[in-house]
PDB file of all heavy atoms in Angstrom:
ATOM      1  N   ARG V 120      12.291  52.819 -28.886  1.00  0.00           N
ATOM      2  CA  ARG V 120      11.387  53.665 -29.633  1.00  0.00           C
ATOM      3  C   ARG V 120      11.729  55.131 -29.367  1.00  0.00           C
ATOM      4  O   ARG V 120      12.126  55.487 -28.248  1.00  0.00           O
ATOM      5  CB  ARG V 120       9.946  53.363 -29.206  1.00  0.00           C
ATOM      6  CG  ARG V 120       9.392  52.063 -29.794  1.00  0.00           C
ATOM      7  CD  ARG V 120       8.028  51.733 -29.289  1.00  0.00           C
ATOM      8  NE  ARG V 120       8.068  51.444 -27.865  1.00  0.00           N
ATOM      9  CZ  ARG V 120       6.966  51.361 -27.079  1.00  0.00           C
ATOM     10  NH1 ARG V 120       5.802  51.538 -27.616  1.00  0.00           N
ATOM     11  NH2 ARG V 120       7.109  51.043 -25.805  1.00  0.00           N
ATOM     12  N   ALA V 132      15.632  43.413 -24.758  1.00  0.00           N
ATOM     13  CA  ALA V 132      15.656  42.211 -25.573  1.00  0.00           C
ATOM     14  C   ALA V 132      17.061  42.038 -26.183  1.00  0.00           C
ATOM     15  O   ALA V 132      17.651  43.015 -26.646  1.00  0.00           O
ATOM     16  CB  ALA V 132      14.640  42.289 -26.675  1.00  0.00           C
ATOM     17  N   VAL V 157      16.096  36.526 -26.840  1.00  0.00           N
ATOM     18  CA  VAL V 157      15.286  36.352 -28.058  1.00  0.00           C
ATOM     19  C   VAL V 157      16.141  35.634 -29.095  1.00  0.00           C
ATOM     20  O   VAL V 157      17.343  35.407 -28.907  1.00  0.00           O
ATOM     21  CB  VAL V 157      14.836  37.736 -28.633  1.00  0.00           C
ATOM     22  CG1 VAL V 157      13.844  38.401 -27.668  1.00  0.00           C
ATOM     23  CG2 VAL V 157      15.999  38.668 -28.897  1.00  0.00           C
ATOM     24  N   SER V 159      17.204  36.333 -32.178  1.00  0.00           N
ATOM     25  CA  SER V 159      18.172  37.002 -33.063  1.00  0.00           C
ATOM     26  C   SER V 159      18.262  38.482 -32.732  1.00  0.00           C
ATOM     27  O   SER V 159      17.369  39.039 -32.039  1.00  0.00           O
ATOM     28  CB  SER V 159      17.796  36.835 -34.527  1.00  0.00           C
ATOM     29  OG  SER V 159      16.634  37.619 -34.819  1.00  0.00           O
ATOM     30  N   ASN V 160      19.295  39.136 -33.243  1.00  0.00           N
ATOM     31  CA  ASN V 160      19.394  40.609 -33.072  1.00  0.00           C
ATOM     32  C   ASN V 160      18.253  41.307 -33.787  1.00  0.00           C
ATOM     33  O   ASN V 160      17.753  42.322 -33.309  1.00  0.00           O
ATOM     34  CB  ASN V 160      20.759  41.081 -33.640  1.00  0.00           C
ATOM     35  CG  ASN V 160      21.924  40.493 -32.883  1.00  0.00           C
ATOM     36  OD1 ASN V 160      21.960  40.507 -31.672  1.00  0.00           O
ATOM     37  ND2 ASN V 160      22.904  39.971 -33.612  1.00  0.00           N
ATOM     38  N   GLY V 161      17.846  40.773 -34.933  1.00  0.00           N
ATOM     39  CA  GLY V 161      16.706  41.358 -35.633  1.00  0.00           C
ATOM     40  C   GLY V 161      15.423  41.236 -34.848  1.00  0.00           C
ATOM     41  O   GLY V 161      14.618  42.177 -34.832  1.00  0.00           O
ATOM     42  N   ALA V 162      15.222  40.060 -34.207  1.00  0.00           N
ATOM     43  CA  ALA V 162      14.010  39.885 -33.392  1.00  0.00           C
ATOM     44  C   ALA V 162      14.022  40.836 -32.204  1.00  0.00           C
ATOM     45  O   ALA V 162      12.968  41.349 -31.773  1.00  0.00           O
ATOM     46  CB  ALA V 162      13.923  38.452 -32.933  1.00  0.00           C
ATOM     47  N   ALA V 163      15.215  41.131 -31.633  1.00  0.00           N
ATOM     48  CA  ALA V 163      15.325  42.055 -30.508  1.00  0.00           C
ATOM     49  C   ALA V 163      14.861  43.446 -30.952  1.00  0.00           C
ATOM     50  O   ALA V 163      14.047  44.100 -30.275  1.00  0.00           O
ATOM     51  CB  ALA V 163      16.750  42.094 -30.015  1.00  0.00           C
ATOM     52  N   ALA V 164      15.370  43.879 -32.099  1.00  0.00           N
ATOM     53  CA  ALA V 164      14.984  45.216 -32.607  1.00  0.00           C
ATOM     54  C   ALA V 164      13.481  45.289 -32.901  1.00  0.00           C
ATOM     55  O   ALA V 164      12.803  46.269 -32.592  1.00  0.00           O
ATOM     56  CB  ALA V 164      15.821  45.552 -33.849  1.00  0.00           C
ATOM     57  N   GLY V 165      12.978  44.211 -33.514  1.00  0.00           N
ATOM     58  CA  GLY V 165      11.532  44.189 -33.843  1.00  0.00           C
ATOM     59  C   GLY V 165      10.667  44.209 -32.595  1.00  0.00           C
ATOM     60  O   GLY V 165       9.639  44.861 -32.573  1.00  0.00           O
ATOM     61  N   GLY V 166      11.113  43.488 -31.556  1.00  0.00           N
ATOM     62  CA  GLY V 166      10.341  43.474 -30.324  1.00  0.00           C
ATOM     63  C   GLY V 166      10.318  44.824 -29.618  1.00  0.00           C
ATOM     64  O   GLY V 166       9.285  45.223 -29.063  1.00  0.00           O
ATOM     65  N   ALA V 167      11.446  45.540 -29.667  1.00  0.00           N
ATOM     66  CA  ALA V 167      11.489  46.870 -29.070  1.00  0.00           C
ATOM     67  C   ALA V 167      10.595  47.840 -29.875  1.00  0.00           C
ATOM     68  O   ALA V 167       9.905  48.653 -29.300  1.00  0.00           O
ATOM     69  CB  ALA V 167      12.912  47.384 -29.028  1.00  0.00           C
ATOM     70  N   ALA V 168      10.656  47.708 -31.199  1.00  0.00           N
ATOM     71  CA  ALA V 168       9.793  48.589 -32.056  1.00  0.00           C
ATOM     72  C   ALA V 168       8.336  48.349 -31.820  1.00  0.00           C
ATOM     73  O   ALA V 168       7.512  49.277 -31.880  1.00  0.00           O
ATOM     74  CB  ALA V 168      10.150  48.358 -33.510  1.00  0.00           C
ATOM     75  N   ALA V 169       7.940  47.067 -31.504  1.00  0.00           N
ATOM     76  CA  ALA V 169       6.541  46.737 -31.272  1.00  0.00           C
ATOM     77  C   ALA V 169       6.088  47.064 -29.857  1.00  0.00           C
ATOM     78  O   ALA V 169       4.888  46.924 -29.533  1.00  0.00           O
ATOM     79  CB  ALA V 169       6.340  45.262 -31.588  1.00  0.00           C
ATOM     80  N   GLY V 170       7.003  47.490 -29.025  1.00  0.00           N
ATOM     81  CA  GLY V 170       6.660  47.830 -27.643  1.00  0.00           C
ATOM     82  C   GLY V 170       6.646  46.646 -26.695  1.00  0.00           C
ATOM     83  O   GLY V 170       6.212  46.782 -25.535  1.00  0.00           O
ATOM     84  N   GLU V 171       7.117  45.472 -27.153  1.00  0.00           N
ATOM     85  CA  GLU V 171       7.182  44.310 -26.293  1.00  0.00           C
ATOM     86  C   GLU V 171       8.281  44.486 -25.220  1.00  0.00           C
ATOM     87  O   GLU V 171       8.192  43.884 -24.144  1.00  0.00           O
ATOM     88  CB  GLU V 171       7.445  43.049 -27.110  1.00  0.00           C
ATOM     89  CG  GLU V 171       6.366  42.756 -28.126  1.00  0.00           C
ATOM     90  CD  GLU V 171       6.753  41.617 -29.036  1.00  0.00           C
ATOM     91  OE1 GLU V 171       7.598  40.764 -28.624  1.00  0.00           O
ATOM     92  OE2 GLU V 171       6.256  41.554 -30.180  1.00  0.00           O
ATOM     93  N   TYR V 172       9.310  45.216 -25.559  1.00  0.00           N
ATOM     94  CA  TYR V 172      10.438  45.485 -24.645  1.00  0.00           C
ATOM     95  C   TYR V 172      10.767  46.986 -24.720  1.00  0.00           C
ATOM     96  O   TYR V 172      10.468  47.647 -25.712  1.00  0.00           O
ATOM     97  CB  TYR V 172      11.665  44.674 -25.056  1.00  0.00           C
ATOM     98  CG  TYR V 172      11.373  43.208 -25.359  1.00  0.00           C
ATOM     99  CD1 TYR V 172      11.257  42.783 -26.697  1.00  0.00           C
ATOM    100  CD2 TYR V 172      11.154  42.312 -24.355  1.00  0.00           C
ATOM    101  CE1 TYR V 172      10.952  41.456 -26.989  1.00  0.00           C
ATOM    102  CE2 TYR V 172      10.848  40.961 -24.646  1.00  0.00           C
ATOM    103  CZ  TYR V 172      10.741  40.568 -25.961  1.00  0.00           C
ATOM    104  OH  TYR V 172      10.434  39.249 -26.252  1.00  0.00           O
ATOM    105  N   ASP V 173      11.377  47.455 -23.674  1.00  0.00           N
ATOM    106  CA  ASP V 173      11.717  48.899 -23.627  1.00  0.00           C
ATOM    107  C   ASP V 173      12.864  49.214 -24.576  1.00  0.00           C
ATOM    108  O   ASP V 173      12.929  50.332 -25.107  1.00  0.00           O
ATOM    109  CB  ASP V 173      12.081  49.323 -22.212  1.00  0.00           C
ATOM    110  CG  ASP V 173      10.939  49.173 -21.241  1.00  0.00           C
ATOM    111  OD1 ASP V 173       9.767  49.318 -21.664  1.00  0.00           O
ATOM    112  OD2 ASP V 173      11.166  48.863 -20.046  1.00  0.00           O
ATOM    113  N   ALA V 174      13.782  48.286 -24.757  1.00  0.00           N
ATOM    114  CA  ALA V 174      14.964  48.531 -25.589  1.00  0.00           C
ATOM    115  C   ALA V 174      15.493  47.225 -26.102  1.00  0.00           C
ATOM    116  O   ALA V 174      15.026  46.136 -25.733  1.00  0.00           O
ATOM    117  CB  ALA V 174      16.016  49.233 -24.791  1.00  0.00           C
ATOM    118  N   ALA V 175      16.460  47.309 -27.022  1.00  0.00           N
ATOM    119  CA  ALA V 175      17.029  46.112 -27.643  1.00  0.00           C
ATOM    120  C   ALA V 175      18.533  46.316 -27.837  1.00  0.00           C
ATOM    121  O   ALA V 175      18.974  47.412 -28.181  1.00  0.00           O
ATOM    122  CB  ALA V 175      16.380  45.827 -28.982  1.00  0.00           C
ATOM    123  N   HIS V 185      14.156  49.178 -38.097  1.00  0.00           N
ATOM    124  CA  HIS V 185      12.951  49.264 -37.268  1.00  0.00           C
ATOM    125  C   HIS V 185      12.706  50.687 -36.712  1.00  0.00           C
ATOM    126  O   HIS V 185      11.868  50.869 -35.847  1.00  0.00           O
ATOM    127  CB  HIS V 185      13.013  48.256 -36.132  1.00  0.00           C
ATOM    128  CG  HIS V 185      12.962  46.837 -36.610  1.00  0.00           C
ATOM    129  ND1 HIS V 185      11.776  46.193 -36.927  1.00  0.00           N
ATOM    130  CD2 HIS V 185      13.942  45.913 -36.868  1.00  0.00           C
ATOM    131  CE1 HIS V 185      12.033  44.957 -37.346  1.00  0.00           C
ATOM    132  NE2 HIS V 185      13.338  44.762 -37.300  1.00  0.00           N
ATOM    133  N   LEU V 187      14.403  52.655 -34.770  1.00  0.00           N
ATOM    134  CA  LEU V 187      14.641  52.839 -33.309  1.00  0.00           C
ATOM    135  C   LEU V 187      15.627  53.999 -33.120  1.00  0.00           C
ATOM    136  O   LEU V 187      16.539  54.207 -33.933  1.00  0.00           O
ATOM    137  CB  LEU V 187      15.259  51.566 -32.728  1.00  0.00           C
ATOM    138  CG  LEU V 187      14.391  50.300 -32.797  1.00  0.00           C
ATOM    139  CD1 LEU V 187      15.145  49.126 -32.179  1.00  0.00           C
ATOM    140  CD2 LEU V 187      13.074  50.515 -32.057  1.00  0.00           C
TER     141      LEU V 187
END
Side-chain angles (χ1 to χ4, degrees):
R120 285 176 294 169
V157 294
S159 70
N160 297 312
E171 299 172 25
Y172 314 101
D173 297 329
H185 293 279
L187 299 178

